[in-house]
């Protein structure tokens, strides 16, 4: 594994995809998803320009956070969060990407001592194995979610099916972007809806085409 070469390639590919989509080069933030590597490998990314680290599991998040908290890192919890684990981890999270139920939002509201930036996870593809709100469910719940003033709903997060082809990916990301715009137009005070967390190593180019502002990259850094 050549970490320096891989990191340079990731940043170059994202810059190329941004340029192709006529977007500013600084419009897309790269989250290095470090769930399969140890603390030392994650730390080695930081001198290479990585500023965002994402973890799926609470225990791994806390391990990396404690080891690297003195670095200028923005911390992302990107995986499913059980309500009983909220109090352990939420004080250290900058962005939470997988807010997928009203009950979880209420637990975060109860446990946090500062405003948490959250992405509402949407299951645009309708896959049974995926977590997240359906479009209809989310629109119905907006008034209840809006009551929780310790959460800033910065945008939407979605995951495309692993086997989706390029056309299917574009459709999913386009629909997510449209839903983001629909919610943003409602001008709900704690729902700026300016961000989209879409795209991983295999599909970030399509995601950037449809407005993704955070891409979650794991494999491409560590292959």
């Amino acid at each position: 594994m050549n970490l320096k070469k891989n990191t340079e390639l990731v940043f170059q590919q994202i810059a190329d995809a941004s340029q192709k989509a006529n977007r500013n080069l600084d419009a897309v933030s790269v989250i290095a998803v470090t769930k399969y590597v140890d603390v030392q490998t994650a730390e080695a990314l930081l001198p290479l320009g990585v500023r965002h680290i994402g973890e799926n599991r609470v225990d791994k998040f806390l391990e990396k956070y404690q080891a690297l908290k003195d670095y200028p890192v923005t911390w992302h919890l990107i995986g499913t969060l059980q309500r009983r684990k909220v109090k352990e981890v939420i004080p250290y999270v900058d962005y939470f990407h997988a807010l997928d139920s009203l009950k979880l939002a209420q637990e975060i509201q109860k446990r946090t001592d500062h405003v948490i930036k959250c992405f509402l996870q949407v299951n645009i593809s309708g896959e049974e194995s995926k977590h997240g709100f359906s479009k209809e469910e989310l629109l119905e719940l907006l008034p209840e979610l809006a009551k929780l003033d310790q959460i800033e709903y910065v945008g939407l997060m979605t995951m495309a099916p692993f086997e989706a082809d390029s056309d299917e990916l574009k459709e999913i990301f386009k629909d997510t972007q449209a839903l983001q715009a629909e919610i943003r137009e409602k001008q709900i005070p704690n729902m700026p809806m300016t961000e989209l967390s879409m795209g991983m190593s295999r599909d970030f180019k399509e995601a950037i085409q449809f407005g993704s502002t955070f891409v979650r990259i794991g494999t491409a850094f560590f292959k």
Side-chain angles (χ1 to χ4, degrees), residues 145-158:
L145 290 164
K147 292 175 184 175
L148 308 175
D149 60 356
Q150 289 290 84
I151 298 176
E152 181 183 0
Y153 303 94
V154 295
L156 302 180
M157 185 275 262
T158 201

Side-chain angles (χ1 to χ4, degrees), residues 15 32 36 44 68 85 101 106 111 121 132 156 174 178 206 214:
Y36 294 127
L68 305 177
K85 298 263 188 164
S101 74
Q106 289 167 335
R111 298 293 182 182
Q121 183 173 355
L156 302 180
K174 180 182 175 185
E206 289 88 351
F214 286 92

Side-chain angles (χ1 to χ4, degrees), residues 58-59 61-62 65 75-99 104-119 150-152:
V58 168
D59 56 342
F61 178 99
L62 292 171
Y65 176 86
W75 290 93
H76 300 257
L77 184 63
I78 63 174
T80 302
L81 179 58
Q82 296 172 309
R83 295 204 303 276
R84 62 185 176 83
K85 298 263 188 164
V86 168
K87 62 184 176 185
E88 293 177 38
V89 73
I90 214 66
Y92 312 110
V93 173
D94 293 309
Y95 287 87
F96 174 49
H97 288 245
L99 183 47
L104 179 57
Q106 289 167 335
E107 186 68 19
I108 292 171
Q109 169 82 10
K110 188 164 79 174
R111 298 293 182 182
T112 184
D113 59 359
H114 65 288
V115 174
I116 298 289
K117 294 178 186 292
C118 290
F119 290 87
Q150 289 290 84
I151 298 176
E152 181 183 0

Side-chain angles (χ1 to χ4, degrees), residues 9-205:
L9 185 59
V10 166
F11 282 127
Q12 186 58 55
Q13 289 177 331
I14 286 166
D16 291 346
S18 300
Q19 192 170 19
K20 188 177 177 185
N22 293 315
R23 297 181 61 197
N24 291 334
L25 296 184
D26 59 357
V28 182
S29 296
V30 183
I31 302 169
V33 180
T34 56
K35 62 179 178 177
Y36 294 127
V37 299
D38 58 21
V39 168
Q40 289 73 24
T41 306
E43 186 174 15
L45 287 170
L46 304 180
L48 302 176
V50 169
R51 291 291 173 266
H52 297 264
I53 287 183
E55 276 292 332
N56 286 55
R57 289 173 43 189
V58 168
D59 56 342
K60 295 293 185 185
F61 178 99
L62 292 171
E63 178 191 7
K64 298 229 174 54
Y65 176 86
Q66 292 300 334
L68 305 177
K69 62 185 178 183
D70 293 334
Y71 286 94
V73 171
T74 300
W75 290 93
H76 300 257
L77 184 63
I78 63 174
T80 302
L81 179 58
Q82 296 172 309
R83 295 204 303 276
R84 62 185 176 83
K85 298 263 188 164
V86 168
K87 62 184 176 185
E88 293 177 38
V89 73
I90 214 66
Y92 312 110
V93 173
D94 293 309
Y95 287 87
F96 174 49
H97 288 245
L99 183 47
D100 60 2
S101 74
L102 177 59
K103 285 185 174 178
L104 179 57
Q106 289 167 335
E107 186 68 19
I108 292 171
Q109 169 82 10
K110 188 164 79 174
R111 298 293 182 182
T112 184
D113 59 359
H114 65 288
V115 174
I116 298 289
K117 294 178 186 292
C118 290
F119 290 87
L120 292 160
Q121 183 173 355
V122 289
N123 186 358
I124 292 291
S125 66
E127 269 190 293
E128 287 187 14
S129 62
K130 290 272 194 299
H131 291 265
F133 298 99
S134 67
K135 175 182 174 179
E136 295 73 23
E137 181 187 16
L138 180 55
L139 291 173
E140 194 176 305
L141 282 173
L142 288 180
E144 290 300 311
L145 290 164
K147 292 175 184 175
L148 308 175
D149 60 356
Q150 289 290 84
I151 298 176
E152 181 183 0
Y153 303 94
V154 295
L156 302 180
M157 185 275 262
T158 201
M159 295 171 66
F162 188 79
E163 68 283 355
D165 63 25
S166 185
D167 287 342
E168 290 172 306
L169 291 171
K170 288 175 182 176
E171 196 66 30
I172 288 165
F173 295 146
K174 180 182 175 185
D175 288 349
T176 306
Q177 186 183 37
L179 179 57
Q180 175 209 24
E182 184 177 343
I183 297 171
R184 187 170 62 234
E185 283 170 12
K186 296 178 185 295
Q187 297 187 325
I188 300 169
N190 57 338
M191 290 190 187
M193 281 288 142
T194 53
E195 311 295 339
L196 283 170
S197 174
M198 306 191 303
M200 299 188 284
S201 294
R202 68 179 185 275
D203 57 15
F204 66 79
K205 292 174 185 174

